Amino acid sequence: TVLGHGAMGGTLGTTADGASNNVAIGHTAMGGTFYDSQTDGCIAIGYLALSGAINDIDGTVAIGKSALALNTFGASNTAIGYNAMAENVSGWGNIAIGQSAMSQTGGANPQDSDHNIFIGNLSGSGDWSAGANAKNGYNVCVGGYTMDSALAGADHNTCVGYASLSAITTGESNVAVGRSAGNAITTGICNVAIGGYNDGTHSAPLV
């Protein structure tokens, strides 16, 4: 299903011309070049959604302006919201829901980050190409501005609550529940922070 100027209008490779069961709605949605590898079962809705060069990214969903705009090799990603996962290139199995969620994952290594879930306005939206320029994976965050700093090798973190773990950069295996919970953690490992303060200026105590 194709609807919109330039939607799914890119050049097809010799094997990509057999691409099937895709939906592209919006100006240049899924409109980039298809490499010589068939891509099936994708949904792109919105201006520039999933508009980069495409190579075997089966099962990818991009809804919103510029959602997954640069995605090339990353399969099984779901991005819903304006600019959601806009710079992802090869990371796969990620879920980003909310405006600019997981939006700045550019750089040689961050663009290959896998198995993250960021739900909320600007969740996971920091510049991942800053600092160590490292991959970040297996993080689960729910809430606006969660884990929204310059991540540089942060793995296996879980946070629920507005602005929780918002200062973390390289920390691993931390759990934070509550508004601003754990937002004093930057490089810490295996911490648990439960509870939050409504004024937004403090972090929940570590348990």
Side-chain angles (χ1 to χ4, degrees):
T1 302
V2 180
L3 179 64
H5 177 72
M8 207 171 174
T11 303
L12 297 179
T14 55
T15 57
D17 57 5
S20 61
N21 301 312
N22 296 296
V23 176
I25 300 175
H27 188 286
T28 62
M30 210 171 174
T33 298
F34 279 60
Y35 282 107
D36 284 331
S37 184
Q38 186 170 323
T39 291
D40 302 323
C42 294
I43 297 174
I45 300 175
Y47 176 64
L48 292 176
L50 202 59
S51 57
I54 293 173
N55 190 344
D56 194 17
I57 58 167
D58 294 355
T60 294
V61 177
I63 300 176
K65 180 183 181 293
S66 298
L68 279 166
L70 299 182
N71 194 65
T72 300
F73 304 104
S76 301
N77 291 299
T78 299
I80 300 175
Y82 171 73
N83 267 351
M85 284 185 70
E87 295 182 1
N88 183 78
V89 174
S90 53
W92 68 285
N94 299 290
I95 298 174
I97 300 176
Q99 178 183 330
S100 297
M102 198 177 162
S103 57
Q104 297 189 79
T105 59
N109 294 311
Q111 67 187 11
D112 192 32
S113 297
D114 306 322
H115 302 295
N116 295 286
I117 299 176
F118 289 100
I119 300 176
N121 183 45
L122 294 169
S123 177
S125 62
D127 185 0
W128 294 12
S129 66
N133 193 30
K135 293 176 60 173
N136 303 280
Y138 308 96
N139 299 293
V140 178
C141 292
V142 179
Y145 297 90
T146 48
M147 275 188 77
D148 61 335
S149 56
L151 303 184
D155 301 322
H156 303 285
N157 296 288
T158 302
C159 61
V160 178
Y162 178 85
S164 55
L165 288 182
S166 64
I168 199 166
T169 54
T170 62
E172 298 183 15
S173 302
N174 297 289
V175 176
V177 179
R179 182 184 177 187
S180 301
N183 66 5
I185 300 171
T186 55
T187 61
I189 298 175
C190 297
N191 296 291
V192 177
I194 300 176
Y197 292 89
N198 289 331
D199 62 8
T201 61
H202 300 86
S203 174
L206 299 181
V207 177

